[in-house]
Amino acid sequence: MNEVFLSVLRSIVGVANVLTHEDPGSDLGAWENDWRGLAQGRALAVVRPASTQQVADVVKACGAHGISLVPQGGNTGLVVGSTPDASGRQVVLSLRGMNKVRRFDAANATITVEAGCVLQAVQEACEREGFLFPLSLGAEGSCTIGGNLGTNAGGTQVIRFGNARDLCLGLEVVTADGGVWTDLSGLRKDNTGYDLRNLFIGSEGTLGVITAATLKIFPLPVATLTSFVAAPSVHAAVDLLKLAAARLGPALTGFELMNQQALALVAARYPQQRVPFHEVSPYCVLLEASDHESEAHGRALLEQLMETAFERELVTDAVIAESLAQSRALWHVRESITLAQAEEGAHLKHDISLPISAIPLFVDEIDRVLQQQFAGIRIVNFGHLGDGNLHYNIQAGVTDKDGGELSRVQARITRTVYDSVASFGGTFSAEHGIGSLKLGELQDYKPAAAVRLMRKLKDVLDPGNVLNPGRVLPLG
Amino acid sequence: MNEVFLSVLRSIVGVANVLTHEDPGSDLGAWENDWRGLAQGRALAVVRPASTQQVADVVKACGAHGISLVPQGGNTGLVVGSTPDASGRQVVLSLRGMNKVRRFDAANATITVEAGCVLQAVQEACEREGFLFPLSLGAEGSCTIGGNLGTNAGGTQVIRFGNARDLCLGLEVVTADGGVWTDLSGLRKDNTGYDLRNLFIGSEGTLGVITAATLKIFPLPVATLTSFVAAPSVHAAVDLLKLAAARLGPALTGFELMNQQALALVAARYPQQRVPFHEVSPYCVLLEASDHESEAHGRALLEQLMETAFERELVTDAVIAESLAQSRALWHVRESITLAQAEEGAHLKHDISLPISAIPLFVDEIDRVLQQQFAGIRIVNFGHLGDGNLHYNIQAGVTDKDGGELSRVQARITRTVYDSVASFGGTFSAEHGIGSLKLGELQDYKPAAAVRLMRKLKDVLDPGNVLNPGRVLPLG
């Protein structure tokens, strides 16, 4: 039975592009295992199509044989959404081989790329032509555009450019029946029916397989200015955000919050990094401004902003990077928090977002409650304050060497955090998605009316449950 | 039978809010007839709910009695999508009574409003608080937010702020089964499942009834500069757009193209208006720049831009408004084209969009073909070039006094225009939607795969065909 199915797959993509455990010396771990080690899967096969038609034929073959498939890009997701389950019955559909830039259109300010293009490669292709593709996130060196769109990736530039869905003008998608829906013409206005594009974006491969996309690109700014400031409180940071938005308008392209604990971990783990203000300030903000005029102009604006912020006591200290190297060093501090947390040991991640107006009171409350109820834990709070997204993570206490204590209370901590988030109108997954990791939270916190609508959409678009079953929605 | 149903409606919304033809002295024309006179409908009743619960109860009652309903806001649409058919069996659900601002949140930069709020009232409510709600279009004095979102309205600021869907962070929707799905918390990131919001936006009331929305708002710019320039060709205008986008970045907030014929009509019909350059230039562009720094700064940038544009021969003449009154006068010229067309007499509208890179060759070709095949017609070409949207309209020739000649060839003209648009990768409805007017074009030009997906969505979300049946998709 399997052999018949595998031979069909081989006839579609070629023998060399169907990998199985039966191959001599095979190791499918790179495709089967979640990169954070949260889940080990076992695949029936890893299939590597080279064209949209091959993807369509593979999907059809899976449907005909009652086999489900898991689309995969760079396998950098954070919610176990793109690796197979442990049954040995699922096919991993790796899109990485489809990595061509199909079209660059400067006058339309668009680029059309295949799903397997690595994000950084797309950024670089645009930059060579004087354009910016603004999606930017930690995994950009290995994540793919297909995955970015499948999960509606966020990152550091959302405050100005929105999430991945906001950067996409069109898709090519293989649907569950093996059909192909294409809309890659790059129109900025097209009101000819329901919004299919946004339905597939963020569906984590459960409604269709994204094979290509037409993306919005922007003229490169002339200068990008980076500042790092000390803020006395989250309240002050939110007021600074409001001031910066009014003064800079769309020139405000980054606004990252980091609490003292987050920066202390970076300073301790990476002593070679210079981490400003962390010893004296409860919070710091990394603020980025982009200028289309000149570096001097952008710097003057930023200095004026800082002057007002000092007067209003929103910041207590500030540096503005004097060079690209300094700017990179400041961003590197921000980007090192995740790694520092991993090196420090056991921790919990909470990828939450709230209305920005609710964040100061939320942080006051949740900090207080957790510190009362779970003495010794370390709160590592950082993230994209500019769009209301915090990574409100909990690191095991310094005396909890092996994380044993944390692991005993982690369910209660997470429940406490999400309950508080919900009470302030926030969400338990801002940019990471649901995958299989957050199905319980979906059940607990997502309104039942929304889940019912989602179920209807899944049932009608993938009645055979061929596409990434059990992800986003639990198995029915 | 009707009486039982009507008494149920009356028990839900109150006797005064169920209007029927049986009422003494009743005139339901304002709800029943398309405002352009393209269709006369006849309603069973006009129902005016005051709350979301009332909307839900009305939808349920309609479902239970096998009666369909047509949601309506300001009845300003352009594709006959919000008025009832002639059967006398449909209910008009007028949302205009639900017009409260539910919440203004400055720190989150959002406003939550009910569907019946008039667009201009929302703009003004934001402006009073120092914010901009950037959706802007001709009908803003009477169209409603519910209609704007139901049709994914476009307008003049799309180049910078996107369409209505891009300005919406959340919705409250009554679904076809009378359930209510609510997501009004105003989050900028929320990856907890399928994108229901964008599915309802642009569905023209056929998948659900939008009752409220949380909208993105922006800090008001300090200054808005308006210039009006003469461009020797569409090619030059597209090059000017590219130059302006690179120089101004997100400060470029408007870029409207007008051909000589469009401006000549305005000058002839409204002699009191001063229409710059129209006698000498084949095209003009209205270019708007917004500045968060100062008027002097914005003006200097615009002057530098114009200097370069002159050097590169992209413009042959230019004015920059010196006052708000001058700026309004220039915008008034642009906005008078539609009225001038109506006063001049018979004409055809084509609301098309194309990849911006394709527009120069498209216009060259279609102008040539139409002038060859349909001697005497006048091509009135204007629109939002900044986002690729042209209103490529055809006015009856000067000797075709009653439009008789035009009416004989109009089907051929429209077919010729849409065929050419399609061959350049464009669309036959950029911002107006489908309604009932463009169902034929949907059939002819929309890929079958897309229509099949749309049909599946309609069938699963509104199996009883209660919501605006026969709009967006033909009756099945």
Side-chain angles (χ1 to χ4, degrees):
Chain A
M1 166 64 190
N2 278 355
E3 271 317 305
V4 173
F5 175 62
L6 291 172
S7 73
V8 171
L9 294 182
R10 289 190 183 103
S11 73
I12 297 168
V13 297
V15 173
N17 290 309
V18 178
L19 315 180
T20 72
H21 285 283
E22 283 65 47
D23 304 337
S26 77
D27 178 4
L28 308 185
W31 293 274
E32 289 175 326
N33 298 329
D34 174 72
W35 69 276
R36 289 202 289 161
L38 295 181
Q40 273 76 49
R42 186 171 172 87
L44 175 61
V46 174
V47 179
R48 301 184 298 186
S51 70
T52 305
Q53 190 55 53
Q54 288 185 3
V55 173
D57 291 343
V58 169
V59 171
K60 260 186 220 158
C62 285
H65 288 80
I67 303 279
S68 63
L69 62 84
V70 181
Q72 188 180 93
N75 189 12
T76 63
L78 290 160
V79 289
V80 192
S82 68
T83 47
D85 63 25
S87 68
R89 299 287 305 148
Q90 293 193 302
V91 165
V92 173
L93 185 74
S94 172
L95 278 298
R96 272 185 279 189
M98 289 183 62
N99 59 3
K100 282 190 282 296
V101 174
R102 290 199 192 158
R103 182 154 194 239
F104 187 91
D105 185 342
N108 197 42
T110 49
I111 186 169
T112 301
V113 300
E114 292 183 341
C117 285
V118 169
L119 171 53
Q120 191 173 321
V122 175
Q123 295 168 341
E124 289 169 359
C126 293
E127 202 165 330
R128 281 193 296 274
E129 304 287 336
F131 282 87
L132 172 75
F133 179 60
L135 188 66
S136 177
L137 50 131
E140 61 196 28
S142 46
C143 65
T144 63
I145 292 294
N148 296 148
L149 291 169
T151 60
N152 186 30
T156 59
Q157 305 281 299
V158 174
I159 184 175
R160 162 68 182 97
F161 296 100
N163 297 289
R165 76 168 74 255
D166 302 297
L167 298 168
C168 180
L169 289 174
L171 291 179
E172 178 186 82
V173 174
V174 174
T175 50
D177 57 3
V180 180
W181 168 66
T182 306
D183 176 20
L184 292 174
S185 47
L187 303 180
R188 278 171 166 72
K189 280 183 174 170
D190 182 10
N191 277 349
T192 56
Y194 304 149
D195 185 356
L196 303 175
R197 176 177 78 232
N198 280 306
L199 192 56
F200 292 114
I201 295 174
S203 73
E204 304 186 29
T206 65
L207 300 182
V209 180
I210 295 171
T211 51
T214 297
L215 306 169
K216 280 189 210 172
I217 58 178
F218 299 81
L220 269 180
V222 173
T224 304
L225 286 297
T226 309
S227 64
F228 201 101
V229 312
S233 67
V234 180
H235 299 254
V238 167
D239 286 345
L240 176 64
L241 172 62
K242 211 175 143 191
L243 177 69
R247 287 285 182 85
L248 302 177
L252 179 63
T253 49
F255 199 98
E256 299 285 314
L257 182 79
M258 297 153 282
N259 78 347
Q260 194 162 30
Q261 183 65 69
L263 294 174
L265 280 187
V266 174
R269 286 280 155 187
Y270 310 109
Q272 74 284 13
Q273 288 197 37
R274 193 181 151 274
V275 182
F277 317 134
H278 75 279
E279 283 166 336
V280 294
S281 183
Y283 289 91
C284 287
V285 168
L286 195 164
L287 188 158
E288 186 190 85
S290 297
D291 204 278
H292 281 268
E293 203 167 329
S294 68
E295 168 149 358
H297 176 258
R299 188 174 296 275
L301 274 187
L302 201 51
E303 285 170 354
Q304 286 160 27
L305 171 67
M306 289 307 158
E307 212 169 287
T308 308
F310 270 107
E311 281 165 14
R312 298 189 187 171
E313 301 181 353
L314 305 180
V315 308
T316 55
D317 212 337
V319 291
I320 300 179
E322 296 287 337
S323 65
L324 192 58
Q326 275 185 22
S327 167
R328 285 198 178 135
L330 293 173
W331 271 107
H332 192 49
V333 169
R334 161 65 185 83
E335 284 157 4
S336 298
I337 298 171
T338 303
L339 279 175
Q341 282 211 270
E343 292 208 0
E344 184 76 4
H347 64 280
L348 308 177
K349 288 188 196 294
H350 303 110
D351 167 45
I352 58 177
S353 91
L354 299 108
I356 295 165
S357 50
I359 284 182
L361 291 181
F362 162 76
V363 173
D364 284 353
E365 179 180 295
I366 191 68
D367 279 3
R368 184 178 50 74
V369 168
L370 290 184
Q371 273 154 351
Q372 271 176 4
Q373 297 188 5
F374 307 97
I377 58 160
R378 290 174 288 174
I379 296 170
V380 177
N381 182 7
F382 65 102
H384 320 293
L385 182 62
D387 45 65
N389 179 195
L390 296 178
H391 300 301
Y392 190 89
N393 298 349
I394 305 298
Q395 194 83 31
V398 283
T399 60
D400 182 15
K401 294 291 181 206
D402 62 352
E405 278 177 54
L406 182 65
S407 108
R408 273 188 297 280
V409 293
Q410 72 175 51
R412 278 172 53 213
I413 290 178
T414 293
R415 163 68 65 175
T416 305
V417 172
Y418 290 156
D419 281 355
S420 179
V421 167
S423 76
F424 282 94
T427 179
F428 60 91
S429 189
E431 54 181 14
H432 294 173
I434 302 291
S436 47
L437 209 58
K438 294 199 174 181
L439 290 170
E441 284 81 6
L442 186 86
Q443 188 72 28
D444 294 344
Y445 296 102
K446 188 92 175 173
V451 176
R452 275 196 303 272
L453 286 167
M454 286 168 58
R455 176 70 69 188
K456 284 185 185 182
L457 296 172
K458 173 69 176 176
D459 287 349
V460 74
L461 294 180
D462 181 19
N465 228 0
V466 174
L467 302 175
N468 218 1
R471 273 68 192 266
V472 183
L473 284 167
L475 288 170
Chain B
M1 166 61 190
N2 278 355
E3 272 317 305
V4 174
F5 175 63
L6 291 171
S7 73
V8 172
L9 294 181
R10 290 190 183 102
S11 72
I12 297 168
V13 298
V15 172
N17 290 309
V18 178
L19 315 179
T20 71
H21 286 282
E22 284 64 49
D23 304 337
S26 78
D27 178 4
L28 307 185
W31 293 275
E32 288 176 329
N33 298 330
D34 173 72
W35 69 275
R36 288 202 289 162
L38 296 180
Q40 272 78 47
R42 185 170 173 87
L44 174 62
V46 174
V47 179
R48 303 186 296 188
S51 69
T52 304
Q53 189 55 53
Q54 287 185 4
V55 174
D57 291 343
V58 169
V59 171
K60 260 186 218 158
C62 286
H65 287 81
I67 303 280
S68 63
L69 62 83
V70 181
Q72 188 180 93
N75 189 10
T76 63
L78 291 160
V79 289
V80 193
S82 68
T83 47
D85 63 26
S87 69
R89 296 287 308 148
Q90 292 193 302
V91 165
V92 174
L93 184 73
S94 172
L95 279 297
R96 272 184 281 188
M98 289 184 62
N99 59 3
K100 283 190 283 297
V101 173
R102 290 201 193 158
R103 180 152 197 242
F104 187 91
D105 186 342
N108 198 43
T110 48
I111 187 170
T112 300
V113 301
E114 293 183 341
C117 285
V118 168
L119 172 53
Q120 193 174 320
V122 175
Q123 294 168 343
E124 288 168 0
C126 293
E127 202 164 330
R128 282 194 295 274
E129 304 287 337
F131 282 87
L132 171 76
F133 180 60
L135 188 66
S136 178
L137 49 131
E140 62 196 23
S142 47
C143 65
T144 63
I145 292 294
N148 295 148
L149 291 169
T151 60
N152 186 31
T156 59
Q157 305 282 299
V158 175
I159 183 175
R160 161 69 182 98
F161 295 100
N163 297 288
R165 77 167 72 256
D166 302 297
L167 298 169
C168 180
L169 289 174
L171 292 178
E172 178 187 82
V173 174
V174 173
T175 49
D177 56 4
V180 180
W181 168 67
T182 306
D183 176 20
L184 292 174
S185 47
L187 303 179
R188 281 171 164 73
K189 281 183 173 170
D190 183 9
N191 277 348
T192 58
Y194 305 150
D195 185 357
L196 303 174
R197 176 177 80 234
N198 280 305
L199 192 55
F200 292 114
I201 295 173
S203 73
E204 303 185 31
T206 65
L207 300 181
V209 181
I210 295 171
T211 51
T214 297
L215 305 169
K216 277 189 214 172
I217 58 178
F218 299 82
L220 270 179
V222 174
T224 303
L225 287 297
T226 308
S227 64
F228 201 100
V229 311
S233 67
V234 180
H235 298 256
V238 167
D239 287 344
L240 176 64
L241 172 63
K242 209 175 144 192
L243 177 68
R247 287 285 183 87
L248 302 177
L252 179 63
T253 49
F255 199 98
E256 300 285 313
L257 182 78
M258 298 153 281
N259 79 348
Q260 194 162 30
Q261 182 66 68
L263 293 174
L265 280 187
V266 174
R269 288 280 154 186
Y270 309 109
Q272 75 283 13
Q273 287 197 39
R274 191 181 153 273
V275 182
F277 317 136
H278 74 279
E279 282 167 335
V280 294
S281 183
Y283 288 91
C284 286
V285 168
L286 195 163
L287 188 156
E288 185 190 87
S290 298
D291 204 278
H292 281 267
E293 203 166 329
S294 68
E295 168 147 0
H297 176 257
R299 188 174 298 275
L301 274 187
L302 202 51
E303 285 169 355
Q304 286 159 28
L305 170 67
M306 289 307 160
E307 211 168 288
T308 307
F310 272 106
E311 281 165 16
R312 297 189 189 171
E313 300 181 354
L314 305 180
V315 308
T316 55
D317 212 338
V319 291
I320 300 179
E322 296 287 336
S323 67
L324 191 58
Q326 276 185 20
S327 167
R328 285 200 177 132
L330 294 173
W331 271 107
H332 192 49
V333 169
R334 160 66 184 83
E335 283 157 4
S336 298
I337 298 171
T338 301
L339 280 176
Q341 283 212 270
E343 292 208 1
E344 184 77 6
H347 64 280
L348 309 177
K349 289 188 196 295
H350 303 109
D351 167 43
I352 59 176
S353 92
L354 299 107
I356 295 166
S357 48
I359 284 182
L361 291 180
F362 162 76
V363 173
D364 283 355
E365 180 181 293
I366 192 68
D367 279 3
R368 184 179 49 74
V369 168
L370 290 184
Q371 274 153 350
Q372 271 177 5
Q373 296 187 7
F374 307 97
I377 59 159
R378 290 174 288 175
I379 296 169
V380 177
N381 182 7
F382 65 102
H384 321 294
L385 182 63
D387 45 64
N389 179 195
L390 297 177
H391 299 301
Y392 191 90
N393 297 348
I394 305 298
Q395 195 84 30
V398 284
T399 59
D400 181 15
K401 295 290 179 205
D402 62 353
E405 278 178 53
L406 182 65
S407 109
R408 272 188 297 279
V409 293
Q410 72 174 51
R412 277 172 53 214
I413 290 178
T414 293
R415 163 68 65 176
T416 305
V417 171
Y418 290 157
D419 281 355
S420 179
V421 167
S423 76
F424 282 95
T427 178
F428 60 91
S429 189
E431 55 180 14
H432 294 173
I434 301 292
S436 47
L437 209 58
K438 294 199 173 181
L439 289 170
E441 284 81 7
L442 187 85
Q443 189 70 31
D444 294 344
Y445 296 103
K446 188 90 174 174
V451 176
R452 274 196 303 273
L453 286 167
M454 287 168 57
R455 176 69 70 186
K456 285 185 185 183
L457 297 173
K458 173 70 175 174
D459 287 348
V460 75
L461 294 180
D462 182 18
N465 227 3
V466 174
L467 303 175
N468 218 1
R471 273 67 193 269
V472 181
L473 285 167
L475 288 170

